[in-house]
Amino acid sequence: MENKIIIIDMVNGFVKEGPLHDKSILDIVDNINTVVEKVAGDIIVFEDCHHPDSKEFEAFPPHCLAGDSQSETIDELSYLFNHPNYLCTIKKNSTNGIFQFIGRELAKPGRYYIMGVCSDICILQFAMSLKALANEMNMEMEIVVVSDAIDTFDGIDHDKREMNELALNLMRSMGIQTITSAEV
């Protein structure tokens, strides 16, 4: 089964700066690197990248604007762009990258290792949409979320621990596998 490594929104705007960042997200970088080292497969990087009039800003404060540092992958993972298995970067203007993914015809049978942020928003939506696509198309896809390589932000009415657990439970209930980086 062909592997794909999906890294979602490990950008400065969620890790180092901006209204939705949480510096503790840096703690998952080593686990992402572990999976990249262990798994042979195409690497696809998603970057949150919005236009100033993004509809998403009706629900979230403006963040990760196109052309600013918030929409760039963090330095700690920039080596991926020179990795021999790097396939592409997908810039997305919504919480769910599945639309761009399908549009590029990247959804194929295989095993998908999903990592990054935000666990309860972008990760959850992408993983569940990919699972729904696989079901709809009767496609052989093994969707694996690496539980210690995803995270979300802490904020008012947004407890990161609670949101991470909620997201993991919802994904498991849909038949998405969750494993740790050590179990890969």
Side-chain angles (χ1 to χ4, degrees), residues 21 28 40 43 50 54 77 89 99 102 120 137-138 156 173:
H21 88 283
I28 69 172
I43 298 170
H50 299 289
S54 174
L77 294 175
T89 298
F99 307 107
I102 293 170
D120 58 315
M137 304 305 291
N138 282 325
I156 298 170
S173 75

Side-chain angles (χ1 to χ4, degrees), residues 90-151:
I90 299 175
K91 295 187 177 288
K92 63 185 186 65
N93 185 44
S94 79
T95 54
N96 194 346
I98 196 70
F99 307 107
Q100 294 270 354
F101 193 75
I102 293 170
R104 292 181 183 220
E105 299 180 6
L106 295 170
K108 298 177 181 170
R111 181 179 296 116
Y112 292 78
Y113 293 92
I114 301 172
M115 302 175 284
V117 295
C118 292
S119 56
D120 58 315
I121 304 168
C122 304
I123 300 291
L124 175 69
Q125 290 179 7
F126 182 81
M128 290 182 76
S129 296
L130 190 61
K131 181 66 173 175
L133 176 68
N135 291 347
E136 177 66 26
M137 304 305 291
N138 282 325
M139 193 180 303
E140 290 296 323
M141 281 189 190
E142 187 177 335
I143 300 161
V144 180
V145 172
V146 184
S147 61
D148 61 352
I150 64 169
D151 206 350

